[in-house]
């Protein structure tokens, strides 16, 4: 078919910003010309105006139920849905109000495209980012992708096809992200792990047994019942505005609303106390709080004895908990690492099991009354402290080990590390342990020491009993939905052949060596589904210049022409989540939702499941073809029509009729029965056998990770090798105007937030000869970005901040993601975006 320019090809920065701020209801066509999108072809067959109940599908964790107004086949308005079971969850934010802008974005991908010089035999990777585009029919596109997948599978194995799935489209129970994961497992391809926002989850999961899943805290409505609420590493009015009113309700009821953050955020302005902290040192603050609680005996002794690992005996020889079975012929048990590592989707299966009394009977404690060892389930008064000898094995209680380990984390030590006064740390420890119930509203600690942050949060909750109670929880999101069955569409071929995902941060080494875990591992294709690794992932210039050129074929499903589309070989247009029916069942709210189709798709866009159906027809995988022969309704019925859902009235038919169904209590409490899915059934602040989040074949220092232990960030600390050259701490702030790299071009948002900037304290700016409104260049060894400076006293001296999500073309040069750190931590394997140092200078070049 005829050649066609991509939507943003050749548009200058000025035009990019101007178009984003001025254009709605338009799309790019051949040669970059702009034309108004035609009304819905079925408009004449539909009422002039109607309302449709739908759901916001982005992963801000709001999952807001919305009502869209459709006029003459086009969506023209949106509002919050007032007809939901619990009115406290009725909400909509600025991003939600901009959905019509995004739906009719000029940057929408309208039809399948192929890079002109690409072919399977001769991919011409050097032309990515500059090549022309050819428009394809869907049959041509599906055949091209299907035959490429087949060729790679036959010649290099199924794992040569690497699939990266993220939440750039709907964060769904059916559709969007779920559809992409099902595609991986239907064919047995290699999944890529995104390495995003998992670090502190690992630490929390070690203690609670929840694995590295998000399945951790009480429902967000429960924030209202906290007496002390620590907003830590988060700015909810920007990132999660739907939850902020619950926090304010707690404050209005008399709670301590404390914000711990280096910058004076919107949340800090409304808090009862703001604790400015040196960037990246948060774990030290938490560890000193643990120490202060122990020193002042503010811990909950009964909870420690009955619900935690405190009385369990730790062997000096191997670091494991003592079990009666250790003394049999087989000797000490071979324990699973962590205890649960591997694919996120299997965490619910691995980490969701509460052990039985029979399974925990083998644990040995010291009977304080008898002065002898005994079984955990038999001893009424186990010793919490002490060192003993059992059958010639020296053992110490886990509580004693924690007390001794934390003794080094004094208030004075933490004050020097964090620059938070010792008196303030002591007061925080007192509030959290005494003004209870207490909740830690956890943000994402995006530094290399993030796993210790999570472990410290969970340890604080463990020793004070602030978990599994009304107003007391920690972590991210609530429990996954037990009433539905996603396994049938996530694992359409069953669990046979399922392998651990390959972390994105490990991919550069795999591409460089052709090896993974000691075996040949050729990567022949990268398929991005709802993912924008060029725009969203760290060390952007390295991704563009070093990583992607080593991959012969890159395919991307997206609704808009992202930075990743620009460096792809085949681009397939997928629908906005208002353009098809899907099911939302996230753990973020106490509801299931039917996300009804609002309007017909723009151009030739198709939902992901339909794209995979077309591709499957051009492969030889008969099981995958049989799975994709199911209709969308049949797939949704697999998810919804379950026995566990019946008590709540959950079924496909009921959800289709009602739109929203409650599937749990409004202020549901996680782990209310005080039983935890660790091997002991208790909170384990001492980790017997720590292991990596995903096994990548590289050992970790297990002794270091038994207990919360402070370590510096990788780069962002005063004594680092980089600090002399790059003395400013750089972090990426989540704003109300973007959701990761989404909502870049919505006119209603760009009118309020017209271009990217670098926030900087005037003290640092003036020392560098920078004046308000100047264009500046932030730079380090990884790259640079040029944008306007914004003076802001809310930013701590010695820090600068970039708003997260801006498209590369919005900058004068470079991008904030060129600056960010892609260091691979072998345990948590999380992208430490904020673990970054830069220098800033006035930009002397031309600004176009």
């Amino acid at each position: 078919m005829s050649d066609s320019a991509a939507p943003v090809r050749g548009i200058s920065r000025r035009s990019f910003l101007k178009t984003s701020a001025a254009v709605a209801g338009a799309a790019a066509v051949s040669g970059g010309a702009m034309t108004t999108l035609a009304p819905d072809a079925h408009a004449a067959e539909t009422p002039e105006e109607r309302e449709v109940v739908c759901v916001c599908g982005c992963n801000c964790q709001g999952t807001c139920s919305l009502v869209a107004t459709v006029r003459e086949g086009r969506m023209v308005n949106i509002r919050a849905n007032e007809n939901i079971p619990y009115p406290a969850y009725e909400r909509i934010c600025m991003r939600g109000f901009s959905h019509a802008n995004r739906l009719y974005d000029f940057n929408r991908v309208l039809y399948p495209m192929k890079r002109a010089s690409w072919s399977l035999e001769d991919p011409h990777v050097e032309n990515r980012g500059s090549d022309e585009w050819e428009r394809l029919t869907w049959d041509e596109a599906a055949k091209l992708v299907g035959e490429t997948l087949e060729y790679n599978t036959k010649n290099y194995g199924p794992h040569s096809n690497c699939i990266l799935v993220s939440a750039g489209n709907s964060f769904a129970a059916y559709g969007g992200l779920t559809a992409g994961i099902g595609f991986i497992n239907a064919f047995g391809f290699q999944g890529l792990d995104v390495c995003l926002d998992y670090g502190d989850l690992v630490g929390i999961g070690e203690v609670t047994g929840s694995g590295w899943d998000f399945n951790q805290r009480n429902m967000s409505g429960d924030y209202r019942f906290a007496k002390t609420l620590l907003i830590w590493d988060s700015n909810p009015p920007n990132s999660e505005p739907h939850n902020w009113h619950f926090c304010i309700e707690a404050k209005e009821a008399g709670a301590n609303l404390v914000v711990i953050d280096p910058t004076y955020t919107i949340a800090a302005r409304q808090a009862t106390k703001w604790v400015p902290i040196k960037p990246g040192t948060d774990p030290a603050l938490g560890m000193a709080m643990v120490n202060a609680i122990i020193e002042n005996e503010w811990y909950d002794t009964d909870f420690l004895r009955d619900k935690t690992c405190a009385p369990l005996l730790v062997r000096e020889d191997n670091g494991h908990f003592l079990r009666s079975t250790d003394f049999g012929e087989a000797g000490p048990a071979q324990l699973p690492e962590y205890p649960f590592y591997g694919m996120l989707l299997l965490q619910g299966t691995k980490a969701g099991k509460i052990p039985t009394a029979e399974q925990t009977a083998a644990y040995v404690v010291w009977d304080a009354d008898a002065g002898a060892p005994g079984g955990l389930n038999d001893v009424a008064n186990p010793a919490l402290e002490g060192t003993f000898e059992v059958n010639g094995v020296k053992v110490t209680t886990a509580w004693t080990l924690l007390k001794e380990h934390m003794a080094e984390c004094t208030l004075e030590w933490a004050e020097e590390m964090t620059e938070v006064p010792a008196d303030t740390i002591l007061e925080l420890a007192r509030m959290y342990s005494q003004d209870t119930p207490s909740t830690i509203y956890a943000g994402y600690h995006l530094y290399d020491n993030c796993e210790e942050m999570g472990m410290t949060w969970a340890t604080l909750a463990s020793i004070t009993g602030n978990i599994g109670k009304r107003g007391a929880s920690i972590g991210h999101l609530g429990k996954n939905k037990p009433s539905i069955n996603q396994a049938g569409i996530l694992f359409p071929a069953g669990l046979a052949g399922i392998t651990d995902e390959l972390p994105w941060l490990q991919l550069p080494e795999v591409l460089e060596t052709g090896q993974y875990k000691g075996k040949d591992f050729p990567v022949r294709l990268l398929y991005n589904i709802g993912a924008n690794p060029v725009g969203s992932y760290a060390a952007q210039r390295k991704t563009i210049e070093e990583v992607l050129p080593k991959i012969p074929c890159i395919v991307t499903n997206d609704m808009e022409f992202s930075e990743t589309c620009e460096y792809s070989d085949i681009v397939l247009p997928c629908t906005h989540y208002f353009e098809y029916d899907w099911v939302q069942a996230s753990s973020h709210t106490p509801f299931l939702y039917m996300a009804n189709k609002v309007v017909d798709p723009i151009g030739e866009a198709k939902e992901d499941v339909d794209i995979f159906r077309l591709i499957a027809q051009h492969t030889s995988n008969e099981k995958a073809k049989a799975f994709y022969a199911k209709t969308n309704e049949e797939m949704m019925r697999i998810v919804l029509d379950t026995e566990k859902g019946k008590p709540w009235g959950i079924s496909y038919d009921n959800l289709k009729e009602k739109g929203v169904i409650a599937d749990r209590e409004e202020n549901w409490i996680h782990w209310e029965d005080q039983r935890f899915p660790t091997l002991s059934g208790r909170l384990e602040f001492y980790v017997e056998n720590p292991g990596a989040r995903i096994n990548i074949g590289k050992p970790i220092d297990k002794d270091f990770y038994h207990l919360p232990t402070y370590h510096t960030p990788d780069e962002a600390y005063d004594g680092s090798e980089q600090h002399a050259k790059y003395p400013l701490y750089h972090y990426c702030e989540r704003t109300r105007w973007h959701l990761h790299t989404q909502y870049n071009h919505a006119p209603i948002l760009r009118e309020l937030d017209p271009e990217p900037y670098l926030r900087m304290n005037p003290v640092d700016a003036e020392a560098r000869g920078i004046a308000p409104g100047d264009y500046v260049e932030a730079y380090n060894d990884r790259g640079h970005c040029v944008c306007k400076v914004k003076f802001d006293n809310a930013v701590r001296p010695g820090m600068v901040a970039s708003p997260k999500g801006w498209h590369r073309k919005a900058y004068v040069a470079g991008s904030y993601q060129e600056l960010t750190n892609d260091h691979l931590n072998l345990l948590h394997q999380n992208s430490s975006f904020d673990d970054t140092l830069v220098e800033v200078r006035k930009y002397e070049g031309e600004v176009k």
Side-chain angles (χ1 to χ4, degrees), residues 794-817:
V795 176
R796 177 190 181 94
M799 285 188 73
V800 292
S802 292
K804 182 178 171 67
W806 278 100
H807 196 291
R808 210 175 144 77
K809 286 186 178 292
Y811 287 88
V812 175
S815 165
Y816 76 100
Q817 283 289 29

Side-chain angles (χ1 to χ4, degrees), residues 164-183:
L164 179 66
V165 180
S166 194
N169 205 317
S170 52
F171 201 80
Y174 162 81
L177 180 141
T178 302
I181 295 170
F183 179 72

Side-chain angles (χ1 to χ4, degrees), residues 51-298:
E51 290 190 332
V52 183
V53 175
C54 53
V55 179
C56 184
C58 67
N59 69 331
C60 66
Q61 303 170 12
T63 60
C64 301
S65 182
L66 306 174
V67 178
T69 301
V70 179
R71 184 180 303 140
E72 296 182 357
R74 290 171 59 85
M75 177 182 153
V76 296
N77 195 24
I78 195 99
R79 60 179 172 84
N81 182 11
E82 300 174 359
N83 188 26
I84 58 176
Y86 307 134
Y89 290 87
E90 177 195 330
R91 59 271 181 107
I92 188 171
C93 72
M94 288 297 296
R95 292 181 292 243
F97 279 123
S98 75
H99 273 309
N101 286 173
R102 189 163 185 239
L103 186 61
Y104 302 114
D105 196 333
F106 79 92
N107 204 35
R108 284 291 299 266
V109 181
L110 300 180
Y111 35 69
M113 296 183 291
K114 180 185 82 72
R115 190 166 56 79
S117 66
W118 180 87
S119 68
L120 181 60
E121 299 78 16
D122 195 358
H124 285 291
V125 298
E126 71 279 2
N127 292 337
R128 287 186 186 138
S130 60
D131 218 341
E132 292 300 315
W133 292 91
E134 294 177 352
R135 181 174 174 177
L136 303 174
T137 66
W138 265 111
D139 188 62
E140 289 171 336
K143 183 178 181 182
L144 200 56
V145 175
E147 289 181 347
T148 302
L149 293 167
E150 281 281 289
Y151 175 84
N152 292 341
T153 299
K154 180 180 179 180
N155 292 281
Y156 302 97
H159 299 312
S160 66
N161 296 311
C162 292
I163 318 297
L164 179 66
V165 180
S166 194
N169 205 317
S170 52
F171 201 80
Y174 162 81
L177 180 141
T178 302
I181 295 170
F183 179 72
I184 297 172
N185 297 323
F187 288 91
F189 296 145
Q190 177 64 53
L192 292 178
D193 176 84
V194 297
C195 298
L196 302 176
D197 296 343
Y198 293 140
D200 49 78
L201 271 70
V202 170
I204 294 171
E206 286 178 310
V207 178
T208 63
S210 59
W212 52 278
D213 196 356
F214 293 83
N215 171 13
Q216 294 171 339
R217 65 162 167 80
N218 296 353
M219 197 56 64
S220 54
D222 185 64
Y223 291 141
R224 292 176 286 190
F225 303 101
K227 299 293 185 183
T228 295
L229 184 55
L230 303 185
I231 313 295
W232 203 327
D233 257 334
S234 183
N235 184 22
N238 274 1
S239 59
E240 297 179 327
H242 46 274
N243 284 340
W244 185 236
H245 74 94
F246 293 130
C247 303
I248 293 299
E249 287 179 45
K251 175 188 172 184
E252 290 173 346
N256 303 308
L257 182 60
V258 181
V259 170
I260 302 170
D261 200 292
T263 61
Y264 189 58
T265 62
I266 297 173
R269 293 172 205 167
Q270 300 179 63
T272 57
K273 187 178 186 64
W274 170 47
V275 181
I277 186 171
K278 192 167 187 174
T281 65
D282 301 72
L285 173 63
M287 291 174 192
M289 288 173 61
V290 171
N291 183 17
I293 291 168
I294 293 172
E295 287 281 312
N296 290 279
E297 298 185 0
W298 289 335

Side-chain angles (χ1 to χ4, degrees), residues 200-211 216 232 286-287 290 293 303-304 307-309 402 432 440 442 450-468 473-475 671 676 678 682-687 708:
D200 49 78
L201 271 70
V202 170
I204 294 171
E206 286 178 310
V207 178
T208 63
S210 59
Q216 294 171 339
W232 203 327
M287 291 174 192
V290 171
I293 291 168
F303 191 87
L304 278 169
K307 306 298 180 183
T308 79
C309 67
L402 180 69
Y432 182 76
I440 295 176
C450 52
E451 85 293 334
E452 296 303 335
M453 184 75 268
M455 194 177 185
T456 302
W457 283 333
T459 300
L460 281 166
S462 299
I463 68 176
T464 61
N466 277 305
I467 190 170
S473 70
I474 54 169
W671 294 313
F676 302 92
T678 57
R682 293 164 169 248
L683 293 165
E684 296 182 0
F685 51 74
Y686 177 91
V687 181

Side-chain angles (χ1 to χ4, degrees), residues 366-373 378-383:
W366 190 262
D367 189 330
D369 297 329
D378 302 321
V379 174
N381 184 27

Side-chain angles (χ1 to χ4, degrees), residues 581-827:
D581 290 330
W582 53 283
V583 177
Q584 177 63 283
S586 66
S587 62
H588 320 151
T589 60
F591 306 129
L592 297 180
Y593 309 82
M594 178 58 68
N596 293 296
K597 177 180 175 180
V598 177
V599 293
D600 283 344
I602 297 298
E604 298 177 10
K606 293 182 180 295
E607 68 164 293
D608 291 296
V609 172
D610 286 337
I611 295 174
F612 303 146
R613 279 197 184 97
L614 292 175
I615 293 172
Q617 294 308 308
H618 295 281
T619 70
S620 60
N621 191 317
E622 295 303 323
K623 289 185 178 179
K625 288 181 182 179
F627 172 69
Y628 285 112
K630 293 181 173 66
T631 66
N632 294 7
E633 181 178 324
E634 287 173 329
M635 290 186 181
M636 285 187 268
R637 287 188 181 278
I638 290 172
V639 174
L640 294 171
D641 294 345
T642 70
E643 288 299 316
K644 289 183 178 180
K646 286 182 178 179
W648 288 93
I650 295 169
S651 69
Y652 172 83
D653 293 325
N654 282 351
L655 192 59
K656 191 68 177 172
E657 176 186 349
K658 296 178 180 178
V660 185
I661 296 177
D663 74 322
R664 60 185 51 167
E665 299 299 327
E666 177 179 358
N667 305 305
W668 173 83
I669 300 171
H670 200 0
W671 294 313
E672 190 171 16
D673 60 1
Q674 302 290 301
R675 299 173 66 229
F676 302 92
T678 57
L679 295 181
S680 68
R682 293 164 169 248
L683 293 165
E684 296 182 0
F685 51 74
Y686 177 91
V687 181
E688 288 183 276
N689 193 29
R693 180 170 69 88
I694 296 175
N695 176 19
I696 61 173
K698 297 184 178 184
I700 64 165
D701 182 354
K702 291 181 179 291
D703 290 339
F704 184 84
Y705 292 110
H706 284 311
L707 289 161
T709 305
Y710 186 77
H711 64 89
T712 63
D714 171 63
E715 173 178 305
Y717 65 99
D718 287 358
S720 76
E721 183 179 341
Q722 296 294 306
H723 191 261
K725 287 196 297 182
Y726 307 117
L728 298 174
Y729 292 71
H730 175 271
Y731 83 107
C732 306
E733 57 181 336
R734 301 176 193 238
T735 74
R736 65 183 66 188
W737 318 115
H738 289 85
L739 195 285
H740 302 304
T741 56
Q742 300 168 44
Y743 301 92
N744 259 306
H745 317 299
I748 191 174
L749 300 181
R750 295 292 70 79
E751 183 176 351
L752 298 167
D753 182 44
E755 66 178 300
Y757 50 80
L758 186 78
R759 285 206 300 153
M760 194 172 193
N761 190 283
V763 171
D764 295 319
E766 290 164 3
R768 291 163 173 79
I770 297 168
D774 280 349
Y775 281 85
V776 296
E777 180 184 26
Y779 61 96
N780 58 22
D781 289 346
R782 288 180 290 272
H784 74 146
C785 78
V786 177
C787 60
K788 188 176 289 187
V789 72
K790 180 184 286 188
F791 280 22
D792 196 337
N793 283 303
V795 176
R796 177 190 181 94
M799 285 188 73
V800 292
S802 292
K804 182 178 171 67
W806 278 100
H807 196 291
R808 210 175 144 77
K809 286 186 178 292
Y811 287 88
V812 175
S815 165
Y816 76 100
Q817 283 289 29
E818 286 193 10
L819 304 170
T820 49
N821 190 349
D822 68 337
H823 167 71
L824 172 63
N825 180 291
L826 296 181
L827 184 126

